[in-house]
Amino acid sequence: MSTSTNPVERDLQAPVHHDLGKKILLLTGPRQCGKTFLSKALTTDHQYFNYDFAEHRVLLIEKGWDRRKALLIFNELHKMHNWKVWLKGIFDVEGMPPAIIVTGSAKLDAFRKAGDSLAGRHFQFRLHPTDLKEASRFSDLSEDEIFNRLMRVGGFPEPFLNGSKRFYSRWKRSHIDLILKDDLRTLTAVRDIQSIETLIELLRARVGSPVSANSLARDLERSPNTIRHWLQLLEDLYVIFKVSPYSRNVARALLKEPKYYFYDNGMVQGDAGIKLENLVACALLKAVHRAQDVDGRELGLGYVRSKDGFEIDFLVTDQQRPQQLIEVKWSDDRLSPNFGKLLAREPLSRTQVVGELTESKSFPGGERIEPAIRFLSELW
């Protein structure tokens, strides 16, 4: 059920179209976040192949596509043995046109096969679920309703456009099954699916908190190295993403444990404040990835926490230099004292994002308190 008669155009559509035919384009992102939709929307003169389909695999092995087409779309190609060598050969021998887009729900650099790389022959784009800024362009919903939907069912297009919590609950079950029982079995040697399902459940309740592999290992009765391997697999499959602590290797070392967030905001267990923190994390990572993939900027996302327990939820860096501190609260409109205790001498912006706030506030030191909806709608 669509929320609008406006055409749905994703944030990355124009940048991807701009680079079409210049290099091989790798478009990655979570399952069902709209990669195929975006790719097919670039031009009607395309030919689509999905490596999961046997008849398509035969055509790919034979290289039997229509070379008069403007665009070839190869989906899930990373499941092919030595896919990079195969793709490199096409690029080096035949060149372009047709333009080529390779899409995949697993990070295309994660499951490396033996052989040559695509160095110098590709650009990468990472597509995320929709966010408030993007959805405001194609939806007739108010910003308040968009925000409420993102908090309730997350930003994956199908459940977001439907809006029903019941629909989301059914969609989520099949979505996780696809990832664990299809992608995980196909791409890895892991067979202990039940334990990884338990790991996901444990992480759902620990969003926003530093996560110790040793603690998870005790809970799951596995080795810490096994847990770290599973966490990396869940990252590679775009289920979770890691936000690491910022450190300049000073004497007062910062904690080493990362925090994990879910690409699907509906997965988060906890109160509204935790859900909002996950939503802000998703929006910040999306903005950082766009700056990296489209503009070539060296932005990064981390958090700051001292041994004394003082913490700021997020830190955006530019060429590893601190640029912006962001603290997230649901209803507390008092400025966090931690802004004055962490990176206090750094010339950076400091913003507190509050869910239940209608008016912005600013302070003599340059700090700002912003309503969550305004912050998310105006994010760079």
Side-chain angles (χ1 to χ4, degrees):
M1 178 176 65
S2 175
T3 65
S4 172
T5 58
N6 300 331
V8 177
E9 181 172 324
R10 303 301 302 272
D11 280 345
L12 283 182
Q13 191 160 322
V16 171
H17 190 273
H18 178 268
D19 287 338
L20 205 62
K22 296 177 181 177
K23 290 180 181 288
I24 296 169
L25 303 185
L26 306 183
L27 180 61
T28 66
R31 263 192 181 270
Q32 300 178 308
C33 73
K35 300 180 295 298
T36 300
F37 178 91
L38 186 155
S39 299
K40 291 183 176 180
L42 295 169
T43 175
T44 57
D45 188 25
H46 65 257
Q47 192 169 6
Y48 173 79
F49 296 91
N50 188 332
Y51 193 76
D52 286 337
F53 298 157
E55 56 269 33
H56 287 189
R57 286 198 294 273
V58 172
L59 290 171
L60 289 172
I61 292 170
E62 295 176 345
K63 301 179 184 177
W65 49 78
D66 185 352
R67 283 160 174 79
R68 295 171 298 179
K69 294 290 185 181
L71 173 63
L72 299 176
I73 303 168
F74 299 147
N75 187 32
E76 303 296 318
L77 189 66
H78 57 279
K79 296 176 181 178
M80 174 193 286
H81 181 66
N82 283 339
W83 69 273
K84 290 185 179 181
V85 176
W86 182 86
L87 197 56
K88 173 182 177 292
I90 294 169
F91 182 86
D92 290 349
V93 173
E94 299 194 25
M96 293 181 177
I100 296 174
I101 290 183
V102 181
T103 67
S105 54
K107 293 182 180 178
L108 296 181
D109 59 351
F111 301 100
R112 297 187 179 274
K113 308 296 184 183
D116 203 355
S117 73
L118 294 173
R121 298 172 176 84
H122 78 280
F123 287 138
Q124 179 183 15
F125 293 94
R126 285 164 286 189
L127 185 66
H128 288 246
T130 195
D131 58 8
L132 194 148
K133 186 175 181 180
E134 183 178 57
S136 297
R137 292 203 325 271
F138 65 74
S139 171
D140 291 334
L141 297 172
S142 68
E143 287 189 337
D144 284 343
E145 177 57 24
I146 291 171
F147 176 74
N148 289 334
R149 285 198 184 191
L150 292 171
M151 288 282 287
R152 186 173 66 249
V153 300
F156 281 79
E158 192 175 4
F160 172 80
L161 292 172
N162 182 280
S164 163
K165 183 69 174 178
R166 179 174 174 269
F167 178 90
Y168 168 76
S169 297
R170 298 165 68 192
W171 173 90
K172 179 183 70 175
R173 185 179 301 111
S174 64
H175 184 243
I176 291 296
D177 281 348
L178 275 173
I179 294 170
L180 295 184
K181 297 176 182 177
D182 185 357
D183 293 340
L184 199 63
R185 289 184 184 275
T186 302
L187 296 167
T188 76
V190 174
R191 293 295 178 264
D192 193 357
I193 304 300
Q194 188 175 37
S195 291
I196 294 182
E197 286 179 321
T198 304
L199 174 60
I200 291 173
E201 288 301 309
L202 291 173
L203 292 173
R204 291 178 65 193
R206 302 187 189 190
V207 168
S209 299
V211 171
S212 165
N214 291 332
S215 175
L216 291 172
R218 289 191 293 271
D219 291 338
L220 292 169
E221 298 182 341
R222 296 294 188 275
S223 72
N225 284 339
T226 296
I227 298 300
R228 293 187 189 97
H229 176 59
W230 289 351
L231 289 169
Q232 185 61 57
L233 289 177
L234 292 176
E235 284 190 73
D236 292 338
L237 293 168
Y238 287 102
V239 176
I240 58 175
F241 59 91
K242 177 170 62 179
V243 175
S244 299
Y246 173 74
S247 175
R248 292 178 297 184
N249 296 320
V250 293
R252 293 176 65 83
L254 303 177
L255 292 180
K256 296 180 180 179
E257 289 86 359
K259 299 193 289 186
Y260 288 93
Y261 297 91
F262 282 84
Y263 285 95
D264 177 8
N265 206 63
M267 288 284 291
V268 179
Q269 290 181 343
D271 59 22
I274 297 299
K275 291 179 179 291
L276 178 59
E277 183 177 336
N278 193 91
L279 190 65
V280 170
C282 289
L284 288 172
L285 185 69
K286 182 175 180 177
V288 165
H289 281 175
R290 180 187 171 88
Q292 293 172 347
D293 298 344
V294 177
D295 302 320
R297 297 178 62 188
E298 297 181 29
L299 298 192
L301 180 63
Y303 77 97
V304 186
R305 183 182 174 95
S306 71
K307 284 186 174 180
D308 300 323
F310 301 119
E311 180 180 322
I312 296 292
D313 292 325
F314 303 107
L315 170 68
V316 177
T317 60
D318 190 348
Q319 297 183 6
Q320 300 184 335
R321 293 192 296 270
Q323 295 294 310
Q324 185 177 13
L325 283 169
I326 300 111
E327 177 73 359
V328 180
K329 303 286 187 183
W330 180 249
S331 59
D332 190 353
D333 63 353
R334 297 168 298 176
L335 188 66
S336 171
N338 292 346
F339 282 122
K341 297 174 181 176
L342 297 168
L343 303 178
R345 297 182 180 180
E346 294 283 349
L348 42 72
S349 66
R350 296 169 172 83
T351 306
Q352 184 165 313
V353 179
V354 180
E356 291 184 329
L357 187 71
T358 56
E359 296 294 332
S360 301
K361 296 181 181 181
S362 61
F363 297 86
E367 304 91 347
R368 294 190 63 82
I369 300 181
E370 295 283 2
I373 291 177
R374 177 174 298 172
F375 177 82
L376 293 169
S377 66
E378 298 177 354
L379 193 60
W380 34 271

